[in-house]
Amino acid sequence: MIIRNPLQNSPGINFLKIIIYLFWIAVLMEYRFINPEYLDSVSGGDPVIIKELVDIFREQVSEIVDSMITARENKDYTQLALLAHKVKSSVAIMGMADLATMLKTFDLKAREATDTGSYESYIERLRSDTASAIVELDDLISKRAGNS
């Protein structure tokens, strides 16, 4: 015996499903680069701590990207690996798991000086994703300040 969903072919229900889906996307996918829940878990949800973490992140990432560019130009792959490893922790704290995974790969490749042609794209993705994350982090701080 096959049990069918009696609402399956109802056009009104399909429309409702789409509306609910879009609502959850808006709620759950508010931020594309950061994970506020993870950030809350490492900061205890304290807005002062979050702001301090963001300020440190902003400064550190800018310096590391500049240092990575120099290290790549100088073919200092050991330094590049160390920088990738260092920044991986910072992006992980912001909940940027995909970028942290990419940085782990970058770290390992730079340690072995393999696939050196990909290093520029790794650095560019780090620069681009963290710039977008900083915009989102500033938005998060602003929204939470408005709710205080």
Side-chain angles (χ1 to χ4, degrees):
M1 179 166 147
I2 297 174
I3 299 175
R4 297 184 190 271
N5 181 347
L7 303 176
Q8 184 175 352
N9 295 324
S10 171
I13 294 301
N14 287 334
F15 178 73
L16 182 60
K17 286 179 186 176
I18 291 169
I19 296 299
I20 291 170
Y21 175 75
L22 292 174
F23 170 78
W24 281 111
I25 286 176
V27 169
L28 297 175
M29 301 296 286
E30 183 175 352
Y31 297 110
R32 187 171 154 226
F33 292 92
I34 64 168
N35 181 337
E37 291 80 19
Y38 186 76
L39 189 56
D40 285 338
S41 75
V42 297
S43 68
D46 185 330
V48 173
I49 293 174
I50 292 173
K51 183 165 181 351
E52 288 175 11
L53 287 171
V54 170
D55 289 343
I56 292 167
F57 179 74
R58 180 188 331 268
E59 184 178 319
Q60 183 184 48
V61 165
S62 176
E63 291 172 5
I64 287 177
V65 168
D66 290 344
S67 296
M68 282 182 157
I69 291 168
T70 302
R72 187 187 63 80
E73 289 170 351
N74 294 333
K75 298 182 179 178
D76 186 349
Y77 303 133
T78 301
Q79 180 65 15
L80 205 48
L82 292 171
L83 291 165
H85 184 77
K86 179 179 179 180
V87 76
K88 178 180 64 172
S89 300
S90 296
V91 301
I93 288 172
M94 298 301 152
M96 303 173 72
D98 289 343
L99 187 58
T101 300
M102 189 256 343
L103 288 164
K104 181 177 181 178
T105 300
F106 185 20
D107 173 9
L108 296 173
K109 286 183 178 186
R111 284 177 197 269
E112 300 296 323
T114 59
D115 195 18
T116 59
S118 66
Y119 296 177
E120 186 174 359
S121 65
Y122 286 135
I123 296 167
E124 176 53 29
R125 178 167 173 212
L126 172 64
R127 188 206 57 75
S128 175
D129 284 9
T130 54
S132 296
I134 288 168
V135 170
E136 290 182 358
L137 289 162
D138 288 340
D139 179 69
L140 177 69
I141 291 168
S142 174
K143 283 181 179 176
R144 291 193 177 175
N147 290 337
S148 300

